[in-house]
């Protein structure tokens, strides 16, 4: 359980939010040309990192907007929050 | 040779104040090379090693464990055992395990305290009723004992359940599997460890895997905190940390690791002599032999390896427990903890070869792996020894996420996963 600083609403309790999984998985631009392997990669395969991971979160019981989060999954520490469409930090 | 545990050994050791019991397993230093190494010394990993040695005559093998054996999810689960799954593949897999459970204490000469006290699954709305009836029929077609109970029959079987029609989620019916029940979770790990050790398996604790060495597309060995170990076959049974090991080998798995919580109450006199689960309100409860209520909560929805979960998850579960069992309203909770579970998109496990020769994965058991421990070990041992899956785990291959042939038990089993 932790506090999340929504980029639109400010600090709120984590239970207002819904985790949306790994961030920056791009929807295939040419779906018809994808092999089964590539589809499996897009739909199911995840990095599932122990450590710093890029994620999407949704303020489901608040402004309902999506945003990105950089979080250390080994101790739940939030490193950075940035809006959808913004470039992920390089480090 | 291990001394056999019996009432006579108990009496004999009483004369020396129980100070001279033989060690249940050794504490060896790793050899330079093994025929196979199992990564992960939980119940599944130790069972795999046990059956590799026993049924496939592979004695030069090791189990490496980063902590102590049985200190991960094996010691953190709520010990429920059942096999009433909907799909044929799952029914085959879990009932195979249940059949081994029935003779396990005798086989291991170790009391795993397997208690077939029955598991009930409750229905709280019409769709639940339809789903549970469908599953009962499916179970019976698969030769798995299952009966559907109406509300009065549920009240008779477990009188402390509140079956009043005016609660928020009234009990409309439920299923019962009589052969299902619970077992002592630590004892399973200890029993398999003792049995495997006796056959010459090296159980190496405090030994964390740091890398997987490959030559071309074949496994050559593993880097560990206790040095390099050469081996052609690596079976990974690392539960929540499966993806961590997979990333070392450059593989991606369809897993997300999430915290799953459980809690126990203060010990009280016997009050509930079965296991009751409810998927819709997400509450399940049984009572341990010590008298504690053992309560399972749900998973958090975010990836975490922290072995901690969110407070509201526990709160939600306890709300449901109190609605169903008003008698527990003044119970105090003693301990709460979290374990990290690796969840597949279809909520079914992976017992499979991989694209790398000699690398095998047994993972994705999600929130319900304990019940499968003996069967999982048996089938995974078969897969490693023969480099081919057993017919019971062929459906649980890694390729199903490419072919689309999923074993979708998410919700289909109509029980809390």
């Amino acid at each position: 359980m932790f506090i999340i600083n929504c980029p639109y609403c400010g600090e709120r309790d984590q239970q207002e939010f819904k985790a949306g999984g790994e961030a920056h998985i791009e929807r295939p631009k040419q779906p018809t040309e994808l092999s089964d392997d590539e589809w499996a990669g897009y739909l199911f395969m995840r990095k599932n990192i122990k450590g710093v991971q890029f994620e999407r979160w949704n303020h489901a019981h608040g402004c309902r907007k999506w945003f990105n989060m950089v979080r250390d999954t080994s101790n739940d520490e939030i490193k950075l929050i940035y809006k959808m469409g913004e470039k992920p930090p390089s480090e | 040779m291990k001394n056999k545990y019996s009432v006579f050994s108990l009496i004999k050791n009483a004369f020396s104040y129980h100070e001279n019991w033989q060690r249940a397993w050794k504490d060896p230093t790793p050899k330079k090379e093994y025929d196979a190494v199992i990564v992960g010394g939980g119940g599944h990993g130790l069972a795999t090693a046990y059956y590799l040695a026993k049924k496939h005559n592979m004695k030069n093998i090791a189990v490496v464990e980063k902590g102590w054996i049985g200190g991960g999810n094996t010691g953190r689960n709520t010990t429920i055992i059942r096999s009433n799954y909907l799909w044929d593949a799952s029914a085959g897999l879990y009932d195979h395990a249940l059949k081994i459970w029935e003779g396990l204490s005798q086989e291991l000469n170790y009391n795993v305290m397997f208690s077939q006290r029955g598991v009930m699954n409750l229905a709280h709305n019409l769709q639940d009723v339809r789903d549970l009836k469908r599953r009962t029929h499916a179970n019976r077609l698969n030769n798995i004992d299952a009966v559907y109970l109406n509300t009065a029959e549920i009240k008779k079987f477990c009188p402390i359940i509140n079956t009043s029609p005016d609660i928020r989620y009234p009990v409309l019916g439920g299923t019962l599997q009589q052969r299902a029940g619970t077992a002592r979770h630590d004892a399973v790990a200890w029993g398999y460890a003792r049995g495997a050790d006796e056959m010459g398996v090296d159980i190496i604790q405090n030994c964390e895997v740091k890398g997987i060495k490959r030559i071309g597309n074949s496994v050559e060995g593993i880097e560990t905190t206790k040095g390099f170990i050469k081996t052609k076959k690596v079976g990974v049974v690392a539960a929540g940390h499966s993806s961590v090991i997979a990333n070392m080998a450059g593989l991606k798995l369809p897993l997300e690791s999430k915290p799953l919580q459980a809690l126990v109450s203060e010990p009280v006199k016997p009050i509930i002599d079965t296991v009751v689960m409810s998927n819709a309100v997400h509450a399940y409860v049984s009572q341990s032999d010590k008298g504690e209520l053992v309560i399972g909560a749900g998973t958090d929805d975010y990836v975490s390896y922290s072995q901690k979960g969110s407070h509201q998850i526990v709160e939600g579960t306890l709300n449901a427990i109190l609605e169903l069992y008003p008698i527990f309203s003044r119970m105090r909770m003693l301990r709460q903890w979290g374990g990290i579970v690796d969840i597949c998109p279809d909520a079914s496990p992976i017992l499979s070869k991989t694209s790398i020769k000699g690398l095998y994965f047994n993972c994705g058991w999600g929130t319900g792996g304990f019940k499968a421990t003996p069967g999982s070990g048996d089938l995974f041992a078969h897969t490693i020894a023969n480099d081919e899956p057993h017919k019971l785990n062929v459906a649980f291959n890694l390729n199903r996420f490419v072919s689309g042939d999923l074993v979708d038990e998410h919700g289909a089993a109509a029980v809390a996963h």
Side-chain angles (χ1 to χ4, degrees):
Chain A
M1 187 173 216
F2 35 86
I3 303 288
I4 296 174
N5 192 3
C6 171
Y8 305 97
C9 311
E11 290 192 342
R12 298 294 180 88
D13 193 293
Q14 173 243 322
Q15 67 174 309
E16 289 186 16
F17 296 83
K18 179 100 184 97
E22 193 179 318
H24 307 297
I25 299 175
E26 211 172 313
R27 189 177 164 77
K29 290 201 170 63
Q30 300 282 341
T32 49
E33 281 163 29
L34 240 51
S35 70
D36 288 350
D37 266 325
E38 287 167 323
W39 267 121
Y42 167 69
L43 285 173
F44 298 127
M45 301 304 166
R46 295 292 176 264
K47 289 182 192 153
N48 196 26
I49 292 167
K50 182 180 187 179
V52 176
Q53 167 159 297
F54 293 73
E55 302 177 326
R56 297 177 308 166
W57 283 73
N58 178 236
H59 195 181
H61 301 284
C63 64
R64 301 182 65 196
K65 287 199 175 80
W66 286 87
F67 57 92
N68 293 308
M69 183 190 289
V70 185
R71 192 171 58 90
D72 188 337
T73 60
S74 65
N75 58 12
D76 294 337
E77 189 190 330
I78 298 169
K79 304 281 187 191
L80 186 73
I81 285 173
Y82 56 101
K83 291 181 182 172
M84 280 289 156
E86 287 178 11
K87 276 220 158 104
S90 52
E91 292 191 2
Chain B
M1 188 66 193
K2 290 266 189 296
N3 295 333
K4 198 171 165 9
Y5 289 155
S6 68
V7 64
F8 304 109
S9 70
L10 193 64
I11 294 166
K12 187 174 150 227
N13 278 282
F15 286 113
S16 54
Y17 302 98
H18 298 292
E19 285 172 356
N20 294 323
W21 284 98
Q22 192 184 17
R23 275 190 81 117
W25 54 87
K26 296 180 286 290
D27 186 20
T29 46
K31 290 186 217 163
K32 285 206 165 52
E33 183 172 359
Y34 290 100
D35 295 337
V37 173
I38 306 300
V39 179
H44 289 242
L46 293 163
T48 304
Y50 175 85
Y51 292 113
L52 272 173
K54 187 175 180 191
K55 293 173 89 167
H56 304 282
N57 208 27
M58 289 177 72
K59 311 274 167 126
N60 182 32
I61 60 174
V63 177
V64 294
E65 163 58 46
K66 74 172 171 158
W68 64 95
I69 65 164
N73 291 353
T74 302
R76 291 168 181 268
N77 63 79
T78 50
T79 78
I80 296 168
I81 295 160
R82 60 184 177 84
S83 65
N84 54 354
Y85 281 71
L86 177 69
W87 301 116
D88 293 350
S90 316
L93 179 68
Y94 290 102
D95 209 51
H96 177 62
L98 184 49
K99 283 177 188 143
I100 302 176
W101 276 115
E102 287 173 331
L104 192 61
S105 291
Q106 287 74 17
E107 185 187 337
L108 295 178
N109 178 228
Y110 204 104
N111 188 4
V112 299
M113 295 163 72
F114 180 52
S115 159
Q116 292 178 296
R117 58 184 69 181
V119 169
M120 278 207 307
N121 297 118
L122 303 181
H124 299 278
N125 55 49
L126 285 176
Q127 189 58 44
D128 280 357
V129 170
R130 289 185 202 110
D131 287 345
L132 291 190
K133 282 185 175 166
R134 177 193 179 202
R135 178 163 60 71
T136 307
H137 296 314
N139 289 160
R140 294 169 80 137
L141 287 170
N142 276 320
N143 216 6
I144 291 169
D145 65 312
V147 283
Y148 186 82
L149 306 179
N150 63 29
T151 309
E153 289 164 333
I154 282 173
K155 185 78 180 168
K156 193 167 173 226
F157 192 74
C158 184
I160 61 169
I161 295 183
N162 181 4
T163 51
S164 156
D166 59 4
I167 63 174
R168 177 66 183 83
Y169 298 102
V171 177
L172 301 182
T175 65
L176 173 65
Q177 185 182 17
Q178 286 274 16
R179 284 164 64 233
T182 60
R184 168 83 194 162
H185 48 10
D186 304 307
V188 180
W190 298 335
Y192 274 124
R194 180 170 170 265
D197 181 89
E198 185 174 7
M199 290 182 285
V201 175
D202 279 356
I203 296 166
I204 304 157
Q205 302 180 74
N206 300 310
C207 181
E208 185 174 353
V209 173
K210 290 293 187 186
I212 292 176
K213 192 180 170 206
R214 283 158 60 180
I215 291 184
N217 199 38
S218 302
V219 168
E220 275 300 306
I222 53 171
E223 292 289 351
T224 75
T225 49
K226 292 191 175 180
F228 180 73
I229 301 173
K230 196 173 173 209
T231 181
K232 298 274 186 206
K233 290 187 173 193
V234 175
V236 182
V237 202
H241 281 70
S242 298
S243 296
V244 176
I245 307 279
N247 289 340
M248 290 173 190
L251 278 181
K252 258 187 170 181
L253 294 175
L255 297 175
E256 287 195 305
S257 296
K258 297 176 176 179
L260 175 68
Q261 295 177 86
L263 56 162
V264 293
S265 73
E266 58 190 339
V268 291
K269 287 190 175 178
I271 182 75
I272 179 164
D273 63 355
T274 184
V275 183
V276 187
M277 311 179 72
S278 166
N279 194 33
V281 299
H282 210 291
Y284 57 98
V285 63
S286 62
Q287 191 171 17
S288 75
D289 290 5
K290 277 188 286 184
E292 303 154 322
L293 295 181
V294 183
I295 294 167
T299 50
D300 277 290
D301 65 349
Y302 53 87
V303 170
S304 178
Y305 289 84
S306 66
Q307 293 193 328
K308 287 181 289 197
S310 301
H311 179 69
Q312 76 267 12
I313 302 280
V314 170
E315 198 176 23
T317 290
L318 289 178
N319 282 343
I321 294 272
L322 290 189
E323 179 96 338
L324 281 172
Y325 313 92
I327 192 174
F328 296 153
S329 67
R330 281 178 294 160
M331 293 278 287
R332 282 169 298 187
M333 291 299 142
L334 205 61
R335 286 177 289 127
Q336 167 273 346
W337 65 92
I340 302 306
V341 296
D342 44 327
I343 301 176
C344 267
D346 59 355
S348 286
I350 297 166
L351 284 135
S352 179
K353 295 162 67 170
T354 63
S355 54
I356 298 165
K357 190 170 163 33
L359 185 62
Y360 307 85
F361 268 89
N362 180 353
C363 58
W365 290 96
T367 62
F370 176 74
K371 65 175 81 69
T373 305
S376 157
D378 184 31
L379 299 174
F380 197 46
H382 180 102
T383 307
I384 292 173
N386 299 303
D387 199 34
E388 278 302 323
H390 187 276
K391 68 180 187 333
L392 286 174
N393 69 310
V394 72
F396 299 96
N397 62 65
L398 198 47
N399 196 50
R400 73 179 189 266
F401 299 95
V402 177
S403 70
D405 192 11
L406 302 178
V407 188
D408 189 3
E409 285 287 346
H410 242 314
V415 288
H417 268 284

